Amino acid sequence: MILEFIERLSNLSYPLRPPGALPEDDFIDRCIRCRKCAEICPYDSIIMAHGHRGLKMGTPFIYPQKIPCYLCEDFPCIEVCPTDALQDVQDQRDVAMGLAVIDESLCLPFNGIICRACYERCPIYKEAITLKDQLYPVVQKEHCVGCGICEQVCPTNPKAITVVSAHK
Amino acid sequence: MQKLEHILYRHLNRIRRTMQWLALLFIVFVPILNVWGFHEIIGTFYSLTIGSLNIVDPSLMLQTILLSEQVKFGLLLAGIIPLIMALFFGKTFCSWVCPFNLLAEYTAKLRVKIFRNQTRSVNINPKPQVYWFILGGIFLLIGVLGTPLISYFSFPGLISAQITDTILFATVGIEWSLIIAVLLIEFFYKPRFWCKYLCPVGAVLAIPRFKNSLSVQYESKRCSVQCSADKSESLCNTACPFELNPRKTDIYPYCFNCGACVYVCQNNGGHALKFTFHPEKPIHSNHKSLKQEELYKNEPSAQTTTNLQEV
């Protein structure tokens, strides 16, 4: 029963982890909650989980609606991680944090209003988000890294494009 | 050299308290400097990076190795640095740096002030096996549950991480309740039980020990008569925060070299207790009457009255 309880506590949510993060379970095992990634992040994108995330409290995650990951060239967060919970990433395109998902009932172009916010701001420009018929944004799964910039710039409320963790 | 030692002993408690507060200031200023854009020093007491030097709490290093079943060279190196320090200085980190110890010391002080007639258990040094059994149990539990328990129960790290969170994100974490719960138990029920028995950080730091590790050395023939060498209720016994008897050899691995016993002994006429890197078996001479007056002829007159509040 205790095991079940802990299991439940530790699986409350799958937050978006910083670049290079191991799969969720391995990440939880490795991460020692040292806060170095949050301290070094130049955009203050990385924030810390609180008690409402159960036993995941103190682990780093990104809340893209507020500040997304801007995919630094040299990934300082990965560099400072002492336990390799964040593994080396060669290139921006190799990051696999998450995947953007479009809710077509909320997305403006699908409702007859022209909007290219996510398409224009996507760092994997013209590859991760493409335009179908020059109008409708489509996420290309194999190219999207899950940085969350599209979620932040999306003008609708609630957001029509959201990023889910790659480890969900 | 002798003179320096004398000055050190005279101000031992004050120097230590200053160090503790400086350590606390340090962990407050690291995130503040980070916010200002200075990134040469980053981290908490879980893990600290100073320039290119990487340090990791060795208990967390062991936990990571156990849980990930992988040994990474960088991590091993970062965790071994504190272990080497501990090899020479013992658990000095706990008594001189750890912020939880600072809180626990003030809690114990408050307890003495409020419950004046507290009974103090007779100082019998607990068996080292108890200590290692608890540490082994913690690691066994981590292995069985697959949960990084030490991340929640490494109090120096937890406190510094919470301070960092407060400065970076202006939040107050629920983790404080753990610390407050332990402090409340210490206040009402059992003073200093956490540091003495349970803390995994201190326990891992207690593992490396060899014959030249910093130790408290007892020499019975210099033990002052006024302080009653034979009784269990002597100054050094009463001063020890862990209720250890420093006149026995077996204070390790429990003793964390805070020097409270050395301080009271050195400053109250006796010079029987001292810090040394070359500990011998406690020197129990049978000639206890060995002309005490002659021994202390050249030294400041023994003060019989002490203010334990100050200790």
Side-chain angles (χ1 to χ4, degrees), chain A residues 2-3 6 28-36 38-41 44 46-52 54-58 80-84 87, chain B residues 30-31 34 39 42-44 46-49 54 56 60 64 67-68 70 72 75 145-148 151-152 161-162 164-165 168-169 171 174-175:
Chain A
I2 297 167
L3 267 174
I6 289 170
I28 293 295
D29 287 352
R30 288 278 187 96
C31 174
I32 58 170
R33 293 126 165 97
C34 69
R35 269 71 175 176
K36 282 202 250 178
E39 287 180 339
I40 202 88
C41 180
D44 298 336
I46 300 175
I47 52 179
M48 288 294 151
H50 284 300
H52 70 276
L55 290 178
K56 287 179 183 177
M57 62 187 173
V80 297
C81 182
T83 56
D84 288 331
Q87 301 255 317
Chain B
V30 166
N34 288 326
H39 288 109
I42 55 166
T44 53
Y46 284 130
S47 170
L48 206 61
T49 301
N54 211 358
V56 172
L60 286 170
T64 306
L67 284 176
S68 67
Q70 272 178 39
K72 287 268 163 64
L75 177 64
L145 297 178
T147 308
S151 306
Y152 310 111
Q162 286 312 307
T164 305
D165 277 6
L168 291 185
F169 314 114
T171 54
I174 189 102
E175 288 95 326

Side-chain angles (χ1 to χ4, degrees), chain B residues 56-98:
Chain B
V56 172
D57 178 345
S59 62
L60 286 170
M61 175 194 73
L62 291 178
Q63 174 187 269
T64 306
I65 290 172
L66 179 71
L67 284 176
S68 67
E69 295 160 13
Q70 272 178 39
V71 183
K72 287 268 163 64
F73 181 71
L75 177 64
L76 207 61
L77 201 68
I80 279 173
I81 294 165
L83 288 177
I84 291 171
M85 296 281 284
L87 182 64
F88 290 102
F89 296 102
K91 293 196 282 176
T92 313
F93 169 82
C94 303
S95 55
W96 289 64
V97 178
C98 176

